[in-house]
Amino acid sequence: VQLQASGGGLVQPGGSLRLSCAASGSFLSINAMRWYRQTPGKQRELVAAISTVGSTNYVDSVKGRFTISRDSAKNTVYLQMTGLKPGDTAVYYCNQDIRTTWGRDPTTYWGQGTLVTVSS
């Protein structure tokens, strides 16, 4: 199982980006999907999460600006980011809880990270 993240880049303050994270390989099902971010010298921070039934939660600093969604047919989770601020600059990582074997708990897999830079 591999996760491939994409969509990062350089954007001006107030701009928008959409991140994608697609799972590939052999597996049975995907449970929760999440986006984290990390800046140098700081711990990785949970930004947003979405359950199998579409329930979402966000860190307070992105509420109203970021939207997490999923396309189960494509095994993909998205993070639509609007109203970007310099403080959103970070490497963004996705993870997904993926079940590969019947009768066993899902395993959390991580994507490789994609850099988002918000700067004028």
Side-chain angles (χ1 to χ4, degrees), residues 10-60:
L10 173 64
V11 63
Q12 292 187 342
S16 300
L17 281 176
R18 189 176 83 152
L19 306 182
S20 301
C21 175
S24 62
S26 179
F27 50 87
L28 299 173
S29 62
I30 303 176
N31 290 3
M33 298 175 165
R34 307 172 192 87
W35 285 99
Y36 287 76
R37 63 186 179 188
Q38 188 171 25
T39 54
K42 293 189 176 181
Q43 287 191 331
R44 197 168 291 189
E45 173 188 47
L46 176 61
V47 176
I50 186 167
S51 72
T52 52
V53 296
S55 298
T56 59
N57 60 73
Y58 300 90
V59 67
D60 285 346

Side-chain angles (χ1 to χ4, degrees), residues 41-117:
K42 293 189 176 181
Q43 287 191 331
R44 197 168 291 189
E45 173 188 47
L46 176 61
V47 176
I50 186 167
S51 72
T52 52
V53 296
S55 298
T56 59
N57 60 73
Y58 300 90
V59 67
D60 285 346
S61 60
V62 308
K63 285 180 180 178
R65 299 188 298 121
F66 290 10
T67 303
I68 188 171
S69 62
R70 63 190 290 167
D71 185 334
S72 295
K74 296 181 179 180
N75 302 317
T76 299
V77 60
Y78 303 98
L79 186 67
Q80 179 68 49
M81 305 184 291
T82 63
L84 283 161
K85 306 174 181 180
D88 295 317
T89 296
V91 177
Y92 284 72
Y93 297 89
C94 60
N95 77 23
Q96 299 184 18
D97 295 341
I98 298 177
R99 187 183 306 275
T100 59
T101 306
W102 289 116
R104 291 191 176 180
D105 290 338
T107 299
T108 299
Y109 292 87
W110 288 85
Q112 83 281 13
T114 184
L115 177 63
V116 172
T117 303

